[in-house]
């Protein structure tokens, strides 16, 4: 399709007709500033095709403020070697005329021709919208819409599908998806989305398994039932045989024979038992008899023993009586010697006492002498002490006072010396008749006086001389001297002495006496530590004691003979006491033995007499003889019995009663066993029969048949379902596979064209296409590796570039399918950088080799290298204003 | 002097291979067959009905089944003379003992549980009965007939259950043998036999009556009973078969090649007397249109007959271009059809055939002139099943 000429009149800013002529088959660039009318040309082309001429909703096509205008577009183009001329007027004088190679269509007919040609739809009413635009909507890119691809492709989908399908010589399925959906729905009855059985299809295997299990159970029971029926018939057969043959009767006869033999033996055994009892009683009698005879003999022996015992007792008694006197004498001797020993011991004690008194007396005497001596000494010392104490100065001078005295004395002496040395020395040598008085005292002769203070010298006739000592503070010295003098004097008075020497002497006397007193005091205290009075008392008491003891000594009887020592005497006394005690014991023992012997003698005599009486009883002999006779008889009886028992035992042993007993038991038990077996069998028969009756009433086989019936029906249904499911699965898989294959076949050419353009932009990149033929995934080889991404993730500029590439690819595809292609780019690629724009221009140039392209741009400098001269809108409009001028390039 | 000879009633038999309602009806038919026998006996005014064993299908059928059987025999006042067969042998405990305990056996029914000669002077017959007292025996239970005495003046009839030796196909149970010449050797006027479910003449005096109600797909004369006429003393009886069975069991094997084969099959289906039990195995090829016609005809037959079971697994579906065009299967749907067709002929694959039918059905539904939905349901959950001979 080659657009040749566009004429626009009364349409938006083109109040006056605008004619665009000589359009090239390849690229055509229109440039101009904003609002110069580029987009109006694009809109006019759209309106000419899309809007119905009768539409009243296209008033936006009218120039501003001119509601009476009739927007008019005339297009002329070639398609398939035919010339098409379309003239469309809106609103005012609505009209549509289409002339195809001389054939004229008008109105709706014309519009349908156009829609078929380009592949779009007219709106049922109102203005045409994007969803009606079909293929032109895809190829005619509006301002700022270059990046939005998906809606445009979707709106063109049907046209693309049919156009491309036809191009490929294929027919896409008009209802394939519906069929797939229907198959999926039917399949979903059997399987869940994840392929698991569901609903009845899932339950059936379980039900079948249950039914099969029940069937097996029933079959087992039937098999049991049949076995039992067989057993019943077997039992009946046996029972009948038993009833006929009665095998237990034979055994019963054998049992009876054994019982008879056993009874015979038992008779013998009873007789044997009687004899054995007789033998036993015979033996007992014998024992009794022997015991009685033995008793008689024992009595005789006892008598003899008694007699000898009596004899013995008498002898003992006699012996004891004889020893009686000795024992008593011995006792008396012991008593006597004990008394003696006691007396001697008494004496020894007295002697001991006296000795001790004497010794004490001696000691006291010695003590008394010592005490007296000490007392005497003590009195002497005491007297001495008294003397000394008297001699001791009444006024004692202590050492410190003496020291003080000495010190003051010395000070006074020192002061005196100093006074003398410093005092105004008044040496005088008075003429004898002359009297000179000093302070009232007459100075005579030669002399020297020391003036310690001012003095007035009266020299008669002369007057008075006042001498005042100067120099050092003699006054002071003299004052102190006087003070000391006074203090000294006071001390002397106090001490009642007159001089220091006296004090010294007194001190010495005192000290000497003091030492002597101390010595004597110590002596005294050693002599009489508790004082003289006590000492004298002690002397007195000692003296009294001495007197007392000496009196005692004198009083104590002088013993005739010398007594032995107390220790020896005590020992002798103890020995005597011991001896006495032994003698006493012997005496009492003897008495006891004597009494015992006497009693024994009496008892023995009594017993002896009793025995003698018994033995000499008259019937005793008689009785003993009888017993002996009986003994002989019983022995004979015993022997005969033994013989008889032995004989009979032989017979019994020969008959073997134990074996006979066992035989009886054996036969009896065997018979019982058989009888019991028969009985049991009868019971079992009855029991089995009733059980079988019960079981047969259950109708097991009928149940089994019914169960099998259900089982088979379930299995058949399951098989049918499986079969249907298999068919559905197969169909579903196949439908999807084929659909996929077809989609891929359809996509292949588009893919090829896409990759052709893409290689110019991104070498080694590829763009995948989804099943709606929309480019979806871009794969690029970058420096760091392969990059995948959806188109939506790309930048605005890149998306616009991809959008253009895709549209060019669709255009190639449509062209191959023999469909008209016209590409209109209104202000495209404004977001591309210089480098990309270069590449995109190469792409556009390449596409323009096959398609007519109308490109509108406000950047003429960008598009000057496309090999065509851009048409300037201003120039076009200028041509409008001078309508005679035809615009050419 | 006329007798009715029947056998192998197999009361209590169930049919697992059929749909539940069909199975029930077929089980019921065994009782109604007995009623029809009673009616036949009455109509023919027979002296007695001889039942040669296998009256019950199993020993332990339910009490109700036992009672129902004897109730079904009310239509003929007797005597009915029954012996046990291998299915209902007179074991130590058997269905017969139970029937007696239940008091279900009416007085006009004689069950001969022990071998022996039983005289029925009122009917003018003496029956030498050889009942089975074991499930199986390898001895000829009729051997004693040869030397058995029977009252003078009464017809001497043998009644036995087993397989006559040398006469029947090898695949029949060979236990319970019966000598082929027993009737002659034992001087029997007639030997009534059971066990073989088809109608069979062994010799002029020895017959298998077959089961009165068919229960297998075997065309051997089952479903009848014999009327035995003794017209002249000493002469062989005149034996005539009478239809008793309600359902004809038919098994057809067909190979379809051309369209007219389908026409012929449809004609046969339409001609089949109702009610029948039909098993149909089809092989060969058909196109979608032919398949649709076939399914239609089968659906109609199903409605008319007791049971129509068909196995189409060996029938290949070969859609023609016309089929595909008619289905308007454009785009990849056409590919799918081609693929399924290829798979089918390659593997003889059941799933692809089914899938093809399914797809055809779905496509047809989409057509403005929507096809009948019968075929779809027939294909879907219908009785698509491979038959096997019971």
């Amino acid at each position: 399709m080659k657009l040749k000429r566009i004429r626009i009149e009364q349409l938006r800013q083109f109040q006056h007709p605008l004619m665009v002529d000589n359009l090239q088959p390849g690229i055509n660039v229109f440039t101009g500033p904003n609002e110069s009318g580029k987009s109006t040309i694009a809109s006019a082309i759209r309106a000419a095709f899309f809007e119905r001429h009768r539409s009243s909703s296209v008033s936006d096509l009218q120039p501003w403020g001119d509601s009476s205008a009739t927007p008019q577009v005339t297009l002329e183009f070639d398609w398939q070697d035919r010339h098409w001329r379309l003239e469309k007027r809106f609103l005012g004088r609505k009209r549509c005329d289409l002339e195809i190679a001389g054939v004229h269509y008008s109105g709706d007919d014309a519009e349908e021709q156009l829609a078929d040609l380009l592949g779009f739809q007219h709106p049922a009413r109102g203005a045409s919208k994007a969803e009606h635009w079909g293929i032109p909507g895809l190829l005619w890119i509006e301002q700022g819409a270059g990046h939005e691809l998906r809606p445009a492709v979707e709106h063109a989908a049907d046209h693309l599908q049919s156009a491309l399908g036809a191009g490929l010589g294929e027919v896409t399925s008009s209802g394939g998806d519906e069929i797939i959906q229907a198959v999926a729905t039917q399949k979903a009855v059997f399987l869940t989305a994840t392929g698991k059985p569901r609903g009845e299809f899932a339950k059936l295997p379980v039900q079948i398994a249950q039914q099969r299990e029940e069937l097996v159970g029933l079959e087992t029971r039937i098999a049991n039932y049949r076995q039992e029926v067989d057993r019943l018939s077997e039992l009946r057969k046996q029972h009948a045989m038993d009833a006929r043959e009665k095998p237990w009767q034979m055994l019963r006869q054998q049992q009876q024979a054994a019982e008879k033999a056993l009874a015979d033996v038992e008779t013998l055994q009873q007789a044997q038992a009687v004899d054995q009892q007789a033998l036993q009683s015979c033996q007992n009698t014998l024992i009794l008899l022997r015991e009685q005879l033995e008793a008689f003999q024992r009595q005789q022996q006892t008598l003899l023993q008694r007699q000898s015992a009596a004899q013995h007792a008498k002898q003992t008694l006699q012996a004891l009586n004889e020893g009686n006197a000795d024992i008593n004498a011995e006792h008396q001797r012991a008593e006597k010697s004990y008394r003696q020993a006691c007396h001697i011991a008494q004496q020894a004690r007295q002697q001991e006492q006296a000795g001790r008194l004497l010794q004490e007396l001696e000691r006291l005497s010695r003590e008394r002498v010592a005490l007296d001596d000490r007392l005497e000494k003590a009195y002497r010392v005491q007297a001495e002490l008294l003397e000394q104490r008297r001699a001791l100065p009444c006024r004692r001078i202590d050492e410190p006072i003496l020291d003080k005295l000495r010190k003051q004395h010395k000070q006074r002496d020192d002061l005196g010396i100093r006074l003398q040395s410093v005092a105004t020395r008044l040496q005088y040598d008075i003429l004898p008749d002359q009297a000179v008085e000093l302070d009232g005292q007459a100075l005579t002769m030669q002399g020297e006086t020391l003036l310690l203070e001012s003095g007035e010298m009266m020299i008669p006739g002369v007057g008075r001389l006042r001498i005042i000592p100067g120099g050092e503070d003699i006054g002071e010295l003299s004052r102190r001297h006087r003070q000391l003098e006074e203090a000294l004097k006071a001390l002397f008075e106090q001490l009642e002495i007159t001089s220091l020497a006296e004090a010294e002497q007194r001190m010495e006397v005192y000290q000497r006496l003091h030492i002597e007193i101390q010595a004597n005091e110590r002596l005294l205290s050693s002599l009489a530590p508790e004082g003289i009075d006590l000492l004298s008392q002690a002397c007195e008491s000692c003296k009294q004691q001495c007197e007392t003891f000496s009196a005692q000594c004198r009083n104590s009887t002088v013993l005739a003979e010398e007594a032995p020592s107390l220790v020896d005497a005590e020992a002798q006394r103890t020995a005597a006491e011991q001896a006495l005690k032994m003698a006493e014991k012997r005496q009492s023992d003897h008495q006891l033995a004597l009494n015992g012997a006497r009693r024994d003698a009496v008892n023995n005599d009594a017993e002896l007499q009793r025995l003698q009486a018994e033995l000499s009883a008259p019937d005793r002999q008689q009785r003993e003889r009888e017993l002996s006779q009986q003994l002989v008889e019983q022995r004979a009886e015993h022997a005969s019995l033994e013989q008889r028992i032995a004989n009979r035992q032989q017979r019994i042993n020969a008959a073997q009663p134990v074996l006979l007993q066992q035989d009886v038991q054996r036969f009896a038990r065997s018979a019982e066993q058989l009888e019991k077996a028969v009985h049991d069998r009868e019971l079992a028969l009855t029991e089995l029969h009733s059980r079988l009756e019960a079981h047969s009433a259950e109708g097991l086989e009928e149940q089994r048949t019914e169960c099998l019936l259900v089982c088979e029906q379930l299995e058949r249904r399951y098989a049918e379902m499986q079969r249907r499911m298999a068919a559905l699965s197969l169909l579903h898989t196949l439908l999807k596979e084929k659909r996929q294959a077809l989609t891929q076949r359809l996509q292949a050419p588009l893919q090829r064209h896409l990759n052709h353009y893409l290689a110019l932009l991104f070498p080694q990149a590829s763009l995948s296409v989804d099943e709606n033929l929309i480019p979806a995934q871009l794969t690029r080889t970058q420096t760091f590796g392969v990059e995948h991404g959806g188109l939506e993730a790309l930048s605005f500029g890149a998306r616009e570039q991809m959008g253009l590439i895709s549209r060019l690819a669709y255009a190639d595809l449509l062209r191959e399918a023999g469909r008209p292609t016209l590409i209109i780019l209104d202000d495209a690629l404004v977001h591309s950088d210089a480098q990309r724009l270069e590449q995109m221009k190469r792409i556009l140039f390449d596409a323009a080799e096959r398609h007519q392209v109308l490109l509108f741009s406000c950047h003429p400098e960008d598009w000057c290298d496309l090999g065509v001269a851009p048409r300037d809108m201003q120039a076009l409009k200028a041509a409008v204003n001078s309508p005679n001028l035809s615009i050419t390039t | 002097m006329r007798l009715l000879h029947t056998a192998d009633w197999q009361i209590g038999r169930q049919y697992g291979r059929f749909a539940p309602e069909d199975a029930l009806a077929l089980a019921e038919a065994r009782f109604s067959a007995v009623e029809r026998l009673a009616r036949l006996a009455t109509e023919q005014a027979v002296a007695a009905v001889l039942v040669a064993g296998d009256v019950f299908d199993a020993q332990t059928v339910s009490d109700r089944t036992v009672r129902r059987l004897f109730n079904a025999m009310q239509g003929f006042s007797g005597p009915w003379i029954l012996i046990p067969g291998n299915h209902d042998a007179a074991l130590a405990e058997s269905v017969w003992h139970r029937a007696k305990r239940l008091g279900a056996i009416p007085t006009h029914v004689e069950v001969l549980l022990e071998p022996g000669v039983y005289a029925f002077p009122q009917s003018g017959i003496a029956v030498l009965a050889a009942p089975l007292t074991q499930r199986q025996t390898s001895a000829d239970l009729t051997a004693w007939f040869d030397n058995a005495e029977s009252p003078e003046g009464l017809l001497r009839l043998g009644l036995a259950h087993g397989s006559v030796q040398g006469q029947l196909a090898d695949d029949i149970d060979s236990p319970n043998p019966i000598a082929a010449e027993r009737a002659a050797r034992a001087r029997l006027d007639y030997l009534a036999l059971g066990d073989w479910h088809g109608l069979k003449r062994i010799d002029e005096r020895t017959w298998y009556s077959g089961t009165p109600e068919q229960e297998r797909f075997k065309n051997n004369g089952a479903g009848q009973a014999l009327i035995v006429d003794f017209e002249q003393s000493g002469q062989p009886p005149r034996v005539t078969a009478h239809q008793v069975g309600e359902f004809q069991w038919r098994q057809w094997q067909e190979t379809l090649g051309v369209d007219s084969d389908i026409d012929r099959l449809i004609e046969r289906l339409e001609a089949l007397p109702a009610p029948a039990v039909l098993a149909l195995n089809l092989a060969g090829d058909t196109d979608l249109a032919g398949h649709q016609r076939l399914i239609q005809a089968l659906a109609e037959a199903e409605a008319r007959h007791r049971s129509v079971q068909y196995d189409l697994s060996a029938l290949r579906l070969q859609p023609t271009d016309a089929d595909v065009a008619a289905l308007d299967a454009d785009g990849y749907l056409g590919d799918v059809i081609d693929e399924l067709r290829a798979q089918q002929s390659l593997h003889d694959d059941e799933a692809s055939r089914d899938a093809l039918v399914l797809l055809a059905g779905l496509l047809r539904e989409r057509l403005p002139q929507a096809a009948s939905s019968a075929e779809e349901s027939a294909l879907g959950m219908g009785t698509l099943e491979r038959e096997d001979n019971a």
Side-chain angles (χ1 to χ4, degrees), chain B residues 262 265-266 269-270 282 288-304 308 310 312 364 370-379:
Chain B
I262 292 175
L265 180 62
I266 291 171
L269 277 172
E270 283 167 355
L282 294 181
L288 284 177
H291 184 266
Q292 199 187 350
R293 280 202 297 139
L294 184 61
I295 294 295
Q296 184 89 30
L298 287 171
E300 282 166 13
E302 275 184 321
R304 220 153 53 78
V308 176
Y310 48 91
L312 307 183
R364 210 170 283 132
S372 81
S373 59
E375 81 199 78
E376 212 278 315
S377 66
L379 177 78

Side-chain angles (χ1 to χ4, degrees), chain B residues 273-290:
Chain B
V277 176
L278 176 66
L280 190 59
N281 291 314
L282 294 181
D285 301 283
T286 178
D287 57 10
L288 284 177

Side-chain angles (χ1 to χ4, degrees), chain B residues 18-326:
Chain B
F18 298 102
E21 69 274 16
D22 294 339
L24 194 68
L26 290 170
E28 281 299 307
R30 304 211 77 75
F31 289 102
S32 57
V34 176
E35 286 167 2
R36 285 190 297 278
L37 282 171
R39 224 166 20 243
L40 179 66
T42 306
E43 280 165 13
Q44 296 286 332
V46 298
V49 178
L50 298 181
V51 188
D54 278 359
V55 172
F56 290 100
D57 193 50
Q59 295 282 9
T60 47
V61 291
S62 70
D63 289 353
R64 182 165 178 270
T65 301
V66 173
R67 291 183 201 277
R68 283 193 64 194
L69 170 71
F70 290 108
N71 286 344
M73 293 159 82
Q74 279 170 351
F76 174 65
S77 56
W80 296 74
I81 301 165
L82 280 59
I83 60 164
N86 55 323
H87 279 258
D88 51 2
L91 306 176
E93 164 67 20
S94 70
V95 64
W96 302 110
H97 294 106
R98 190 143 52 88
K100 278 184 182 167
R101 279 201 299 278
L102 291 173
I105 304 177
T107 50
H108 65 286
V109 176
E110 292 290 339
V111 183
L112 313 182
L113 294 184
E114 281 162 24
V117 181
Y118 297 85
F120 297 90
Q122 287 174 339
S123 303
I125 56 172
V127 175
L128 283 67
L132 280 176
T133 52
Q134 288 166 285
R135 291 183 196 95
Q136 289 186 350
T137 170
S138 54
D140 186 344
L141 295 178
T142 60
W144 63 271
F145 287 5
D146 293 1
N147 302 317
E149 296 296 327
S150 63
E152 286 296 322
L154 299 181
L155 279 175
R156 188 175 161 92
L157 304 176
L159 187 56
H161 186 92
S163 40
V164 173
Q165 296 198 295
Q167 290 289 318
L168 300 167
D170 289 341
D171 60 346
I172 302 299
D173 301 343
S174 39
N176 312 326
I178 295 169
E181 60 280 14
R182 180 62 63 210
R185 283 218 306 241
R187 307 172 313 281
L188 298 173
D189 290 305
Y190 184 75
L191 176 53
L193 293 178
D195 195 27
W196 175 247
H197 284 205
L199 179 72
K200 178 124 186 133
R201 174 186 185 275
I202 301 299
D203 59 33
E204 54 192 8
R205 294 179 188 271
T206 308
W207 288 74
Y208 282 104
S209 67
T211 179
E213 183 67 48
Q214 216 175 337
E215 32 66 275
R216 288 178 198 168
F217 290 107
K218 269 201 169 170
N219 195 12
N220 55 7
Q224 306 183 79
L226 297 175
I227 295 292
V228 185
D229 268 312
F230 297 93
E231 286 161 343
Q232 289 183 358
S233 167
Q235 290 298 307
R238 188 160 58 85
V239 179
T240 48
H242 287 253
Q243 184 67 33
V244 176
E246 183 179 4
F247 301 115
Q248 297 278 319
W249 289 48
R250 296 293 165 83
Q251 189 172 36
W252 295 350
Q253 306 267 4
E254 297 285 331
T255 303
L256 304 179
V258 292
D259 264 4
S260 57
D261 289 341
I262 292 175
D263 296 338
R264 274 223 322 269
L265 180 62
I266 291 171
E267 279 165 25
R268 272 187 77 187
L269 277 172
E270 283 167 355
L272 180 67
V277 176
L278 176 66
L280 190 59
N281 291 314
L282 294 181
D285 301 283
T286 178
D287 57 10
L288 284 177
H291 184 266
Q292 199 187 350
R293 280 202 297 139
L294 184 61
I295 294 295
Q296 184 89 30
L298 287 171
E300 282 166 13
E302 275 184 321
R304 220 153 53 78
H305 295 286
R306 178 71 263 162
S307 166
V308 176
Q309 294 181 314
Y310 48 91
D311 178 10
L312 307 183
S313 58
L315 183 67
R316 270 194 303 280
L317 213 53
Q318 303 286 16
T320 58
D321 292 342
D323 284 336
V324 178

Side-chain angles (χ1 to χ4, degrees), chain A residues 696-714:
Chain A
S696 38
E698 287 174 31
L700 283 174
E701 279 164 305
E702 192 166 314
Q703 282 182 34
R704 196 260 316 265
T705 315
E706 279 163 11
C707 183
L708 185 65
L709 196 74
V710 173
C711 203
E712 283 172 349
Q713 282 163 355
L714 285 173

